[in-house]
Amino acid sequence: MIVTIDGPAGAGKSTVALGLAERLGFRFLDTGAMYRAVARTALARRWPMEDAAELARRSAALDIQVADDRVLVDGEDVTDGLREPLVASNIHFVADNPAIREQLVRLQRARSELGDLVTEGRDQGTVAFPDAECKIFLTASAEERAKRRHDELRLRDVDIDYETVLEDQRERDRRDAERPVGPLVQAEDAIVVVTDGLTRDEVIEHLERLVRNAAERIRRGPAQPSASGGERRGPLRGPGGESIGGGLEDEIP
Ligand code: DC
């Protein structure tokens, strides 16, 4: 079974997807780490970042190995350097490159052949795995995402004001949405989960329920029409009864 989790930067996809994969006993794939790994390698090897064809040619020759939470490039574990600001500010050269995207999507699909997978990114439910059995679009308001990021940076003693973090995030959202290939769009059949006000564990629990419901539906086979009109649908509810989903959730009666 393939579970895709797409959504904007700062929605907490990585920690939630990893936690979900652990609960389900599925493999986990952080596709952002793959884009970061190529960008980091390109910078370290002083590749011409502005030359898209050359960047793609060199990237194609890389041996990229992804394990649950590590990325190896040509045998070197590059995981620890993936969050450096220089990588973030140059990643668009890699993420906007159609040939590199194709290369990485091929690797993502190869990983799914090993068995059950939770994969997170921007285009997992739309481009990489359009037939995934369970698609989730994980998001939060721009303000909430910026607040979380700001709190995180302050914990690391980074002196930056909230407005700057929010502005930076809006720029990342814009780039993700306007990318000519593999832009962040919600798959039509994705379930939207809005995480404002929810803890990581609450989100993981909720997603686990969604995946188990999807698995149960697959086990039962195509839905049979019933006297009550078939499946019940309704907005997702948070612990206080508030709506946490902009989309609709199929429920197992
Ligand atoms: O999720 P992240 O912040 O680690 O992603 C790093 C970058 O890679 C970000 O600029 C978006 C891009 N990305 C992408 O284009 N497609 C994906 N499937 C995952 C990430």
Side-chain angles (χ1 to χ4, degrees), residues 16-168:
V16 162
L18 180 60
L20 178 67
E22 278 169 359
R23 283 234 198 153
L24 296 167
F26 284 18
R27 285 191 176 77
F28 164 66
L29 182 59
D30 172 354
T31 61
M34 299 171 82
Y35 288 92
R36 288 174 185 270
V38 175
R40 182 186 181 277
T41 304
L43 289 164
R45 299 186 187 179
R46 300 183 184 282
W47 291 357
M49 302 301 281
E50 314 258 351
D51 184 343
E54 185 59 19
L55 205 60
R57 200 182 64 76
R58 297 190 190 196
S59 173
L62 293 175
D63 172 24
I64 302 169
Q65 305 277 344
V66 283
D68 275 5
D69 55 355
R70 314 301 298 172
V71 187
L72 271 68
V73 177
D74 290 342
E76 184 199 349
D77 188 338
V78 297
T79 317
D80 291 341
L82 298 184
R83 301 265 149 201
E84 282 167 16
L86 191 63
V87 172
S89 59
N90 281 279
I91 201 151
H92 60 280
F93 292 115
V94 168
D96 293 355
N97 189 308
I100 297 180
R101 293 199 76 87
E102 266 181 38
Q103 176 195 0
L104 296 187
V105 166
R106 269 198 306 275
L107 290 175
Q108 291 154 17
R109 290 181 182 152
R111 185 147 171 82
S112 78
E113 281 159 19
L114 301 176
D116 295 326
L117 182 70
V118 175
T119 177
E120 66 98 344
R122 305 293 191 284
D123 59 346
Q124 296 301 284
T126 49
V127 177
F129 301 105
D131 298 328
E133 290 87 349
C134 182
K135 298 183 187 179
I136 290 154
F137 192 83
L138 196 72
T139 187
S141 66
E143 291 74 17
E144 169 90 9
R145 290 184 286 125
K147 184 184 164 302
R148 287 181 198 162
R149 176 95 185 117
H150 188 229
D151 291 348
E152 214 178 275
L153 289 169
R154 285 218 313 220
L155 273 178
R156 285 199 265 139
D157 284 333
V158 180
D159 184 22
I160 186 165
D161 60 90
Y162 168 79
E163 290 305 326
T164 309
V165 176
L166 183 61
E167 206 33 61
D168 180 51

